[in-house]
Amino acid sequence: MSYSLPPSKLDAIRPVPARLQRANARAASVGKTFTESELSTADKIIKAAAEFFASHGYVNSTLDDVAALAGFTKGAVYYHFKDKESLLLEVLKCIEVRSIDTTAAAVRERSGSATDHLELFVRYQTRWAAQHPRDLAVLMLVSAETPHTSEAVRAQVREIYRKLGLLLEEIIEAGKRSGEFSKRQITGDIVLYLQAVHDGNMMLWYRSGTDPEIGRRLGKATISGFLKTVKD
Amino acid sequence: MSYSLPPSKLDAIRPVPARLQRANARAASVGKTFTESELSTADKIIKAAAEFFASHGYVNSTLDDVAALAGFTKGAVYYHFKDKESLLLEVLKCIEVRSIDTTAAAVRERSGSATDHLELFVRYQTRWAAQHPRDLAVLMLVSAETPHTSEAVRAQVREIYRKLGLLLEEIIEAGKRSGEFSKRQITGDIVLYLQAVHDGNMMLWYRSGTDPEIGRRLGKATISGFLKTVKD
Amino acid sequence: MSYSLPPSKLDAIRPVPARLQRANARAASVGKTFTESELSTADKIIKAAAEFFASHGYVNSTLDDVAALAGFTKGAVYYHFKDKESLLLEVLKCIEVRSIDTTAAAVRERSGSATDHLELFVRYQTRWAAQHPRDLAVLMLVSAETPHTSEAVRAQVREIYRKLGLLLEEIIEAGKRSGEFSKRQITGDIVLYLQAVHDGNMMLWYRSGTDPEIGRRLGKATISGFLKTVKD
Amino acid sequence: MSYSLPPSKLDAIRPVPARLQRANARAASVGKTFTESELSTADKIIKAAAEFFASHGYVNSTLDDVAALAGFTKGAVYYHFKDKESLLLEVLKCIEVRSIDTTAAAVRERSGSATDHLELFVRYQTRWAAQHPRDLAVLMLVSAETPHTSEAVRAQVREIYRKLGLLLEEIIEAGKRSGEFSKRQITGDIVLYLQAVHDGNMMLWYRSGTDPEIGRRLGKATISGFLKTVKD
DNA sequence: GATGAATGAGCCTTCATTCAT
DNA sequence: TATGAATGAAGGCTCATTCAT
C-alpha cells in the first residue's frame, strides 16, 4: 500500500504560449533543464501570483506585488497576460493540473480495489495540500470571492470541482460494483458528502494556518471518515 | 425527536438604543410588531452589509453599495460605525448570536441523549444556514479573506469557531460518558473532523448557490455522517 | 513705572446678540456675575473655538471638536453662528478687543512720555501674549492661512494690524514732537519695522512652543530694540 | 561692499535622476539650457506644490490642484511621491537649499568683516525672499500649521531655523571677537532677536501681498536694525 | 435652545491599465 | 521583452451643513 509519487508529475506543466515555445526549445537544445531560476518569465509570474493570491487573496494582491515577487515589473505581467483576471485563470489552470489532474491520473493508472483507490485519492490530495498549501488557499479564496464575479473564473473553479466529483463517482461506482461499498446510498449523495468533507478539511486546515499537525490528524480522520461513509 | 424552534431566538439581539426602546414599547402597546422598515438605521445598515458582504465579499463591497442598499448614504454609515471594519465586526457579532449562540442555547437547555443533542446541533445549524444563508457566506468569505488582515476580525471569526468546537466537545464527552459514543477516538480529533464536515457542507452548499435541494441532501448526509463518526 | 493692569478689561466683551440679552438681563437681575461656568453658550463656544483654532489651526479644527470642547454638540454651534467662518470672525473680534483695543485704551488714557508709552505698549502686548497665547496663535495661523481666502476674515485681520499700526504711529509722532525720538526716519518706516519685530517675536515665541523663558528674553529684547530704533 | 550673487546657486539642486542626467548632458552639448518645460516631472510637481502650498496653505491645497498646475494628474504625483506629506517635505528641502544653504555658503566663503557678513546675510535673505516669495510663504504657513502635526515636517522646519540661527551666531561671535560688535549682550539673545526681526519682516512683507516697495523699505530697515542691535 | 441623524461634496490614496521607449 | 511613467476610476473617510424634533 505504498504508492510511489513521481514528483515531476506534481509540478505544473502549463500549456506554453506560442510566443514562448521558441525560447523553451532553445533552452532545451542547450541541454538545460529548467531549474527554479530558469523558469520562463510567464511561469515565474504565475508562481509568484499563486503565492501572493494565496497569502493575500486575489483582490488584495496588486500586480505590482506579484511582479516584484517574480523579480519583474508590472509591465512584464501585462506583456504576458491580458489582464489580472487572465493571470488568475492561468494560476487556476496550474492548480487544476497539480491537484486533481495529478490525483486522477495516479488513481486511474493504478489497478487495485476501490478501497485502495479511495485511499489513494485522499493520500494524493493530502500530499498536494501539503506540498502546495498556496494552491489550496487560492482555491478557497477564489471560490469564496467569485460567486458574483467573472464567469470565466467561476467556470474554471467549477471545472476543478467537477473533475473532483467525477473521480469520486468513478471510484464509488466501482466499489459498489465490486461489492466493497454499500449500495444503500445514492452515489451522488455520497460524492456530495465526500466533497464536503474534503472541502471542510481543506478549509479548516487553512484556517489553522496550515498547521502540519492538524493536517496529519485531518488526513487520518478523512480516510476513516470516507471509508465509513462508503462502506456503511 | 421533533424540536420546536422558537424563531424569535434566531433573530439578532443587539443592544437597542434607548430611543428605540420607547418606540418599541409604544408600538407593542398598539399590538403592532415591527416590520423591517422600522428597524433602527444601524440595524438596517448591518443587515445590508451582511447581504452585500455575503454576495460580493468584504473587500469587493463598497460602503456606497451597502448604504444604498440600506436606503441611506455613506455618511449615515460613518455616523453609526467608526469605519468599514467596525461594521464588519458588528455583522460578525450578529452572526455569532444567530448561529452558534442560538444553537448552543437550544442544545444546552434541552435534556436528552447525546445523540439527540448531536442531531439537534445539526438541525439548528442547518436551519440557521437555511434562514440566513447570507450569514454563512459572510463567515466563509471573511474567514477566507482575513488570514492576513485585521486581527480584530480574525479574533471574532476565531471566537465563533471556538464556541462551535466547545459545544461539539461537550456533546461528544457526554456521549462517551453515557456510552452512546465510542471512546476509541480522541474527542479533539472527532471535533476537528465534525467541524471540517460542517464547514465543508456549508461551503459546498454555498458554492451550489444555496440550492435548497442540495441543502436537504447535505443535511441528511451530515447527520448520518456525524453519527457514524461518533458511534464507531 | 509700574502699571496697574485692570484684568477685567483684558477679558472679552463681545456684542451680545439680541437673542441673548434677555438671558443676560435675567442672570444679572439675580445678582449673578458670570463666572467661567456661567458664560453664555455662545461665549463658551467662542472660547472653545479660540482654543482649538489656536492649537490646531482653523482648517484643522472641526466644529465637532469645538462644540465638544465647549460642552455642546455641533447643532448648538449652528444655532449661534451662521457657519464656521462666522465663528472665526467672532473669535477674531474677541482677540481684537483683548489685544490691541485693551493696549490702545491703556496707552491712551495714561499720560506720560512717548518713551513710557512705547514701553507700555510692549508691556501690554507681552502680557496679552502671555495671558492669551492661544489668541496669538490664532492670529498667526489665520493670518497665514487666509491670504487667498474669505475677504471678511482678511478684513478682520487687517483691521487688527491697522489699529496696531495706528497706535504705534501716534506714539512715534508724539515722541518726535517731544524730541524724545529721532526725526531722522520716516514714521511709516519705523512703524513698519516695529510691527515686523512685534510679529517676529510672536512668531518665534509661538514656534518655541510658547516657552515662558523665551518669552521673557524676547520681551526684554523687544523693548530695547524698539527704543534703539526710535531714538537713533 | 557690492556682492555678486551667482544666481545659479539660488536654484534648487536636487539629486537628478540618472535618466535626466543623460538628457542634461545631451542638451548641454547642444549649448541648450533647460527651460522650465524641460524640468523633470518630479521637479515640476515640487515647483507647483511650492506655489500652491504658498498661496493656499498646505491643508487647503489638494493634490489635484498641484498636479494640474504641474500639468499632470494626481496619479503622477503619487508615482513620484509617497504621499502628500512627502511632497511637502521635498518642497521644504528645496527651500532649505535655496534660502539658508545658499546664504550660508555665500557668507562663509566670503572673507570680510563681521559687519560685512551681517549685511551679506540680510542681502541674501532679502534676495531670496524677492526671488522666491513662494518659499517664504510656504515656510510661514507650514511653520504656523504644523505645531500639532507631523513630526517629520516639524523637524524639517526646525532644521531650517537651526541653520539660520547657527549662521547668525557665527557672525555675531566673529564680530564680538573682532571688536566690531558689542559684547554687552549674550549672543543667544541677539540671535533670538535677529531671528524674530527676520521672521517678522518676512511675515509682514508676505501679508502685504509681497509688495516690492514694502520689501525695499523692510530690507533697509532690517539692515540698520540688525547693526544697531549688534553694535550697541 | 440644543441634539441626533443624515447628507453630500471633497480629499487622499490605491491600483489596474496603457503606452512610449 | 521589459521598464518607467502616467492615467483615471474608484473607494474609504472627513466634515461643514441641514433639519426634524
Side-chain angles (χ1 to χ4, degrees):
Chain A
M1 228 211 304
S2 85
Y3 301 103
S4 69
L5 296 172
S8 70
K9 285 225 160 176
L10 289 173
D11 290 323
I13 302 125
R14 283 185 337 99
V16 181
R19 191 180 341 93
L20 290 185
Q21 289 188 357
R22 249 187 330 149
N24 277 327
R26 230 180 305 123
S29 73
V30 192
K32 273 188 178 170
T33 44
F34 275 86
T35 68
E36 165 89 17
S37 69
E38 286 156 335
L39 287 173
S40 76
T41 296
D43 283 332
K44 281 184 196 160
I45 291 174
I46 291 179
K47 208 179 163 205
E51 197 159 331
F52 229 98
F53 291 173
S55 56
H56 294 80
Y58 174 67
V59 222
N60 294 314
S61 304
T62 76
L63 289 185
D64 270 318
D65 293 333
V66 170
L69 187 59
F72 300 91
T73 56
K74 227 174 358 183
V77 175
Y78 274 93
Y79 182 80
H80 292 280
F81 305 91
K82 196 179 132 280
D83 52 18
K84 200 186 176 189
E85 191 186 307
S86 302
L87 178 54
L88 172 58
L89 238 37
E90 286 316 308
V91 168
L92 287 174
K93 277 181 204 154
C94 249
I95 292 178
E96 180 177 350
V97 171
R98 276 199 294 245
S99 67
I100 188 60
D101 285 357
T102 305
T103 299
V107 168
R108 282 176 186 139
E109 83 183 7
R110 160 103 34 186
S111 63
S113 68
T115 306
D116 286 350
H117 280 166
L118 201 55
E119 283 187 3
L120 195 57
F121 173 90
V122 173
R123 195 170 295 237
Y124 259 84
Q125 286 293 102
T126 305
R127 174 175 283 238
W128 160 62
Q131 288 189 342
H132 298 274
R134 308 298 196 188
D135 287 4
L136 190 54
V138 172
L139 211 52
M140 297 282 107
L141 282 165
V142 168
S143 122
E145 269 172 0
T146 39
H148 287 258
T149 347
S150 153
E151 173 52 29
V153 172
R154 227 155 54 234
Q156 182 62 40
V157 172
R158 240 185 285 121
E159 174 62 10
I160 293 180
Y161 281 98
R162 197 188 58 80
K163 283 190 176 174
L164 196 112
L166 227 54
L167 182 56
L168 281 173
E169 199 177 308
E170 261 180 56
I171 300 176
I172 293 167
E173 286 292 350
K176 280 187 173 178
R177 275 195 307 276
S178 73
E180 286 170 85
F181 299 167
S182 153
K183 293 188 179 102
R184 214 173 43 79
Q185 301 170 81
I186 307 167
T187 302
D189 281 359
I190 304 180
V191 169
L192 214 53
Y193 180 72
L194 294 190
Q195 272 189 314
V197 172
H198 179 262
D199 265 22
N201 281 339
M202 298 295 180
M203 190 106 189
L204 195 61
W205 184 62
Y206 177 60
R207 204 165 42 231
S208 80
T210 63
D211 178 338
E213 170 58 18
I214 301 254
R216 215 163 312 123
R217 284 163 65 190
L218 279 173
K220 252 180 38 193
T222 305
I223 296 193
S224 91
F226 268 35
L227 291 179
K228 263 178 234 161
T229 303
V230 293
K231 302 215 164 169
D232 170 62
Chain B
M1 223 206 315
S2 83
Y3 302 104
S4 68
L5 296 172
S8 68
K9 285 229 160 173
L10 289 174
D11 291 323
I13 301 126
R14 289 186 344 102
V16 181
R19 204 176 47 75
L20 255 206
Q21 290 188 356
R22 279 201 314 270
N24 273 323
R26 233 179 302 123
S29 72
V30 194
K32 213 173 145 198
T33 43
F34 270 87
T35 70
E36 162 156 5
S37 71
E38 283 151 335
L39 287 173
S40 79
T41 296
D43 283 332
K44 282 185 199 159
I45 291 173
I46 291 180
K47 207 178 165 198
E51 197 159 330
F52 230 98
F53 291 174
S55 54
H56 296 253
Y58 174 68
V59 203
N60 292 313
S61 304
T62 78
L63 290 184
D64 267 318
D65 293 333
V66 170
L69 185 58
F72 299 92
T73 57
K74 219 176 2 181
V77 174
Y78 277 94
Y79 182 82
H80 291 281
F81 304 91
K82 199 180 132 285
D83 53 16
K84 201 185 177 188
E85 189 185 311
S86 300
L87 177 54
L88 172 57
L89 238 36
E90 227 44 55
V91 168
L92 287 174
K93 276 180 204 156
C94 261
I95 292 179
E96 179 177 354
V97 171
R98 276 199 295 245
S99 67
I100 188 59
D101 286 356
T102 305
T103 299
V107 168
R108 283 175 184 139
E109 81 183 10
R110 162 103 34 186
S111 63
S113 68
T115 306
D116 287 350
H117 279 168
L118 203 53
E119 283 187 2
L120 194 57
F121 173 90
V122 175
R123 194 173 296 237
Y124 259 85
Q125 287 292 102
T126 306
R127 171 174 287 236
W128 159 62
Q131 289 189 342
H132 298 273
R134 307 300 193 188
D135 287 4
L136 190 54
V138 171
L139 211 51
M140 297 281 107
L141 281 165
V142 167
S143 116
E145 268 174 356
T146 37
H148 286 260
T149 340
S150 151
E151 173 52 30
V153 172
R154 231 157 44 232
Q156 181 63 39
V157 172
R158 239 185 285 124
E159 174 61 10
I160 294 181
Y161 282 97
R162 198 187 58 81
K163 283 189 177 177
L164 195 111
L166 226 56
L167 181 57
L168 281 172
E169 196 177 310
E170 262 181 55
I171 300 177
I172 293 167
E173 287 291 350
K176 282 186 172 178
R177 277 195 305 275
S178 72
E180 287 170 84
F181 299 166
S182 153
K183 292 189 179 103
R184 214 173 41 77
Q185 300 170 82
I186 306 167
T187 302
D189 282 357
I190 305 180
V191 169
L192 214 54
Y193 180 72
L194 294 190
Q195 273 190 315
V197 172
H198 178 261
D199 263 25
N201 281 337
M202 298 293 180
M203 190 112 187
L204 195 62
W205 182 62
Y206 176 62
R207 205 165 40 230
S208 81
T210 65
D211 178 337
E213 170 57 19
I214 302 252
R216 215 164 312 123
R217 284 163 64 192
L218 278 174
K220 253 180 39 194
T222 305
I223 295 195
S224 89
F226 268 36
L227 291 179
K228 263 178 235 158
T229 302
V230 293
K231 300 217 163 168
D232 168 61
Chain C
M1 224 210 311
S2 84
Y3 302 103
S4 69
L5 297 171
S8 69
K9 285 224 160 176
L10 290 173
D11 291 322
I13 301 126
R14 284 187 335 101
V16 181
R19 192 181 341 92
L20 290 186
Q21 290 189 355
R22 250 185 330 149
N24 277 327
R26 232 181 303 122
S29 72
V30 192
K32 272 189 179 168
T33 44
F34 275 85
T35 69
E36 165 90 17
S37 69
E38 285 157 336
L39 286 174
S40 75
T41 295
D43 283 332
K44 281 184 196 160
I45 291 173
I46 291 179
K47 209 180 162 203
E51 197 159 331
F52 229 98
F53 291 175
S55 55
H56 294 79
Y58 174 67
V59 222
N60 295 313
S61 304
T62 75
L63 289 185
D64 270 318
D65 294 333
V66 170
L69 187 59
F72 300 93
T73 55
K74 227 175 353 184
V77 175
Y78 274 92
Y79 182 80
H80 291 281
F81 305 91
K82 195 179 134 279
D83 52 17
K84 201 186 177 189
E85 191 186 308
S86 302
L87 179 54
L88 172 58
L89 238 34
E90 286 314 310
V91 169
L92 288 174
K93 277 181 202 154
C94 253
I95 291 178
E96 179 177 352
V97 171
R98 276 201 292 244
S99 66
I100 189 60
D101 285 358
T102 304
T103 299
V107 168
R108 282 174 186 141
E109 83 184 7
R110 160 104 33 188
S111 62
S113 67
T115 305
D116 286 351
H117 279 166
L118 201 54
E119 282 187 3
L120 195 56
F121 173 89
V122 174
R123 194 171 296 236
Y124 259 85
Q125 287 291 103
T126 305
R127 172 176 286 237
W128 160 62
Q131 288 189 344
H132 297 276
R134 307 300 196 188
D135 287 4
L136 190 54
V138 172
L139 212 52
M140 298 281 107
L141 283 165
V142 168
S143 120
E145 269 173 359
T146 37
H148 287 257
T149 346
S150 152
E151 173 52 28
V153 172
R154 227 155 53 231
Q156 182 61 41
V157 172
R158 239 186 284 123
E159 174 62 10
I160 294 181
Y161 281 97
R162 199 188 56 81
K163 284 189 176 176
L164 196 111
L166 227 55
L167 182 56
L168 281 173
E169 197 178 309
E170 262 180 55
I171 300 177
I172 292 166
E173 286 291 351
K176 281 187 174 179
R177 275 195 306 276
S178 73
E180 288 170 83
F181 299 166
S182 153
K183 293 190 177 102
R184 214 171 43 78
Q185 301 170 82
I186 306 168
T187 302
D189 281 358
I190 305 180
V191 168
L192 214 53
Y193 180 72
L194 294 190
Q195 272 189 314
V197 172
H198 180 262
D199 265 22
N201 281 339
M202 297 295 180
M203 191 106 189
L204 195 61
W205 184 61
Y206 177 62
R207 204 165 41 230
S208 80
T210 64
D211 179 337
E213 169 58 17
I214 301 254
R216 217 165 310 124
R217 283 162 66 191
L218 279 173
K220 252 180 40 195
T222 305
I223 295 193
S224 88
F226 269 36
L227 291 179
K228 262 178 235 159
T229 304
V230 293
K231 302 217 165 169
D232 170 62
Chain D
M1 225 209 306
S2 83
Y3 302 104
S4 67
L5 297 172
S8 68
K9 285 228 160 173
L10 290 173
D11 290 323
I13 302 126
R14 289 185 345 103
V16 180
R19 202 177 48 74
L20 254 206
Q21 289 187 358
R22 280 200 314 270
N24 273 322
R26 233 180 304 125
S29 71
V30 193
K32 213 172 145 199
T33 43
F34 271 88
T35 69
E36 162 155 3
S37 71
E38 283 152 335
L39 287 174
S40 79
T41 296
D43 283 332
K44 281 184 199 159
I45 291 173
I46 290 180
K47 207 180 165 198
E51 197 160 329
F52 230 98
F53 291 173
S55 54
H56 296 254
Y58 174 68
V59 201
N60 292 313
S61 304
T62 78
L63 289 184
D64 265 318
D65 294 333
V66 169
L69 186 58
F72 299 92
T73 58
K74 223 175 357 182
V77 175
Y78 276 94
Y79 182 81
H80 291 281
F81 304 92
K82 199 180 131 284
D83 53 16
K84 201 186 176 188
E85 190 186 308
S86 300
L87 177 54
L88 172 57
L89 238 37
E90 226 45 54
V91 168
L92 287 175
K93 275 180 205 157
C94 262
I95 292 179
E96 180 177 350
V97 171
R98 276 199 294 245
S99 66
I100 188 60
D101 285 356
T102 305
T103 299
V107 168
R108 282 176 184 139
E109 81 184 10
R110 161 102 36 185
S111 65
S113 69
T115 306
D116 287 350
H117 280 166
L118 202 54
E119 282 187 4
L120 194 57
F121 174 89
V122 175
R123 194 172 295 236
Y124 260 86
Q125 287 292 101
T126 306
R127 172 175 285 236
W128 160 62
Q131 289 190 341
H132 298 275
R134 306 301 193 187
D135 287 5
L136 190 54
V138 171
L139 211 51
M140 299 281 107
L141 281 164
V142 167
S143 115
E145 267 174 356
T146 37
H148 286 260
T149 339
S150 152
E151 173 51 30
V153 172
R154 229 156 47 232
Q156 181 63 39
V157 171
R158 239 185 285 122
E159 174 62 11
I160 294 181
Y161 281 98
R162 197 187 59 81
K163 282 189 177 177
L164 196 111
L166 226 56
L167 181 57
L168 282 173
E169 197 178 308
E170 262 180 56
I171 300 177
I172 293 167
E173 287 291 349
K176 281 188 174 179
R177 276 196 305 275
S178 72
E180 288 169 84
F181 299 167
S182 153
K183 292 187 179 107
R184 215 174 40 78
Q185 301 170 82
I186 306 167
T187 302
D189 281 357
I190 304 180
V191 168
L192 213 54
Y193 180 72
L194 293 190
Q195 273 190 314
V197 172
H198 179 262
D199 264 24
N201 281 339
M202 299 294 180
M203 190 114 187
L204 195 62
W205 182 62
Y206 176 61
R207 207 164 41 231
S208 80
T210 64
D211 178 338
E213 170 57 17
I214 302 251
R216 215 163 314 124
R217 284 163 66 193
L218 279 174
K220 252 179 40 193
T222 305
I223 295 195
S224 88
F226 268 37
L227 291 180
K228 262 177 233 160
T229 303
V230 293
K231 300 217 167 170
D232 170 60

